Every structure is written in C-alpha cells, then in structure tokens.
Amino acid sequence: MELRHLVSFVAVAEELHFGRAARRLHIVQPAVSQRIKALENEFGVLLFDRTAAGVGLTDSGQQLLRQARLVLSTADQFAALAGELAHRENAHAQFRIGTAEGMTTRLEHILAVLHDQEPTTPIQLESLPASERLAKVASGQLDAAFVRMLRPVSGLRVIPLWDDRLVAALPAQHPLAGEPTLSFQRLASMPLRLSKRESSRTFVDTVLRACGSAGFTPELGGAFTTVQNTLALLGSGQPTWTVLYEEAATALPTRRVAFRRLTDPDVVVRTSLVVREVSPIVGRLVDISRSSGPGAVFGPAESEAPEPPVIRAVAG
C-alpha cells in the first residue's frame, strides 16, 4: 500500500467521480482508476460500486475511508514535525549571537578567537535593540546575546563578562582637552550631545545619573545622530561634548577630537551574556570574552585606576 493510493481513494470518495478526483489531484483519470484497483486487489475488498448512475462507496469503503483519512492526517503531522526538526537542526548548525552597540574591536577579537576554537561552526550576528535580543534568546531564535544589564531575567541566565568605561569626547582645542582625565562636574558648563534614550536606555540613564550625581542637569546641545557625524561636529570646534564607550572611542581616533576618561565612580556599565543554557560553545564564548579586556584588545592602558563600582542598570 502506498500513500498515493490512499490519497486517490479519499479524493474519489469525496468527489464520487473519477474524472473530478483526477483533476483535483492533477493526474489523468486512468492513473486514479489504477490506484483504486491496486488497493482493492491488495486487500481483496471492493471500495466503490460502479454503476451507470455513478460511483458510490460500498459499506467496506465507508469504514475504510475513516481510517484512510487518519493515516493521511498522521502522515501530514509526520511531515510537519520532520520539517520543523530539520529547521531546528539547520539553525543549530550555526551559533547565533545578538550584539550590542559599541563593542567594535572587542567583538572582532572575540569572534576571531571563537572561530579559531570552533572552526566548523558558522557564526551569525544580529544587531537588535536589547528587548528584542532578550526575546529572541528566550524563544530560541538566538543562542546568546550580549547585553548591558544587571537585573535578572526570568528563564534566562545572565553571565557577567566585563565592565565598559565611558569617556568624554570634546573639541581637541578646548582648554579642558589638555587635562588627562575629567569629571562630569568639570564639563557641566558645556552643552551635551546625547543619543535618544529609546536607542540606548542603559547608556543614556548612566550619563544622566552621573550628571545628577555631579550636581547638574546637562544642557542638551544639538542632536546626536551617528558617532561619526557627532565627532565631526565636535572636531569643527563647536563647544559641545558627548560620551562614548571607551572601546568605541579607541576604535575611532581623530586629531580634532580629544577623548578623556571620566573619573566619576558611577560611569561603568557591565556587559553580560544572556543564554538559556550553558553549552560547550557558550562556555568558550564566556572564557574568551572575559579574557578580552583592554589589555588584550587595545594594548595596556597608560595608568590603570582602581575599578569603580558597577552601576545597577536595566537592559541596554
């Protein structure tokens, strides 16, 4: 017995006409007749009464029709499940990571080392807002995601990796650019260019909180569009400043803009890895990420200050 024989049997039983059943199945009528005959011969049972008045199901045909439909339904379920499993296997053949803004050189370093350790596993990156990264990890559409957060997430594991320092960017010819480090209070008199909160909630909240701790509410001075455009405006001499992750600033050197590390104790944001479970490749990614500090990626800093406390931040 073949499934196509049952398909033809059900089609004829529902149409009660061999010609209409053939058109429905997109085959010729003799093929339908042959399949029905093959079923009847194989099991020694008559399925249809064929008379000059038309085609009708026999009593045996009526009973077997229910079973034929069950078999075909089960076959459809099998095909659907097999397709879903194949999709999962193909998806898991690659390692899918959600990324955060401002990782740049560090991310390149992490992925290069991971590729050396997992040369047969394709890596796929998705740059998404934090909420979408978390949702896709929870649903299994991502295997891991970098996030800047500390708050626990229900059903997910949050693995701390490293702390990101923030730096101030200001015109290189500004008097404050001559100082090796700066505090937020020293910058209070200059308008601040700050990205929109919806695009980077943790980052913006960190900066505004630090300004408040320094005793001022910053005057916003012009839009922060892209990093490149904002630095170009600063480089033109406009007396404004902005804040960047230190890693991003290191990857974007420019002679007309000075980058100065901020000394305030609450200007560090922790980056973590969010996963559903810790697989061997996740474990390797964690080890690589934790070892890829500024010394490994950028070279040793001129002077390392003690680690400031990490702010308590939500996803960003």
Side-chain angles (χ1 to χ4, degrees):
M1 181 179 63
E2 299 181 26
L3 285 178
R4 59 178 181 166
H5 294 166
L6 293 182
V7 170
S8 295
F9 168 45
V10 171
V12 174
E14 292 176 350
E15 299 291 344
L16 293 179
H17 192 282
F18 280 81
R20 288 195 297 268
R23 288 192 294 273
R24 169 174 158 180
L25 299 175
H26 304 289
I27 58 177
V28 296
Q29 181 175 333
V32 175
S33 300
Q34 291 170 7
R35 292 177 183 180
I36 299 302
K37 193 65 177 176
L39 269 179
E40 292 177 328
N41 290 341
E42 182 174 357
F43 295 104
V45 62
L46 188 66
L47 300 174
F48 295 99
D49 288 322
R50 302 164 178 85
T51 66
V55 177
L57 279 165
T58 63
D59 289 342
S60 297
Q62 288 280 7
Q63 296 181 55
L64 289 172
L65 177 61
R66 291 191 292 270
Q67 293 300 317
R69 285 171 170 157
L70 285 174
V71 171
L72 293 177
S73 175
T74 301
D76 288 341
Q77 293 172 20
F78 176 91
L81 179 58
E84 181 181 345
L85 293 174
H87 176 74
R88 290 179 186 174
E89 289 180 4
N90 291 333
H92 289 156
Q94 58 187 3
F95 190 64
R96 302 155 300 171
I97 307 173
T99 60
E101 294 181 3
M103 293 181 62
T104 57
T105 305
R106 188 192 298 268
L107 181 61
E108 292 176 11
H109 174 80
I110 291 170
L111 295 182
V113 178
L114 184 62
H115 175 70
D116 289 342
Q117 296 186 12
E118 297 281 344
T120 62
T121 303
I123 306 297
Q124 176 184 332
L125 299 181
E126 287 194 45
S127 181
L128 300 164
S131 58
E132 292 183 36
R133 271 177 268 149
L134 295 176
K136 285 200 169 188
V137 172
S139 67
Q141 294 174 277
L142 288 176
D143 300 297
F146 291 105
V147 292
R148 294 185 175 100
M149 62 182 298
L150 283 180
R151 181 178 296 172
V153 180
S154 177
L156 299 177
R157 296 192 61 175
V158 181
I159 306 170
L161 298 177
W162 69 77
D163 294 338
D164 285 305
R165 288 189 177 92
L166 302 183
V167 298
L170 67 160
Q173 72 271 30
H174 193 280
L176 290 177
E179 301 185 18
T181 60
L182 290 170
S183 66
F184 274 86
Q185 196 280 328
R186 294 280 285 145
L187 295 158
S189 62
M190 295 173 63
L192 169 64
R193 294 181 181 272
L194 193 59
S195 57
K196 294 181 179 179
R197 187 174 185 271
E198 55 266 28
S199 64
S200 187
R201 183 173 61 178
T202 295
F203 178 84
V204 171
D205 287 351
T206 301
V207 173
L208 294 179
R209 186 182 298 112
C211 291
S213 297
F216 72 99
T217 299
E219 174 191 350
L220 299 182
F224 185 111
T225 51
T226 66
V227 173
Q228 291 81 1
N229 289 346
T230 301
L231 293 183
L233 290 171
L234 294 181
S236 70
Q238 297 188 28
T240 57
W241 64 291
T242 191
V243 182
L244 300 173
Y245 288 111
E246 185 175 50
E247 177 182 341
T250 306
L252 293 166
T254 171
R255 291 181 300 171
R256 296 182 179 274
V257 176
F259 300 108
R260 296 293 178 262
R261 179 174 289 182
L262 291 158
T263 58
D264 302 69
D266 57 351
V267 291
V268 172
V269 180
R270 174 157 293 173
T271 293
S272 301
L273 191 72
V274 174
V275 297
R276 288 197 300 176
E277 57 185 19
V278 181
S279 62
I281 189 171
V282 166
R284 282 186 278 278
L285 178 60
V286 170
D287 291 341
I288 295 166
S289 299
R290 285 177 172 171
S291 65
S292 63
V297 182
F298 313 114
E302 293 180 4
S303 62
E304 287 292 337
E307 287 289 332
V310 177
I311 64 160
R312 298 196 172 277
V314 295

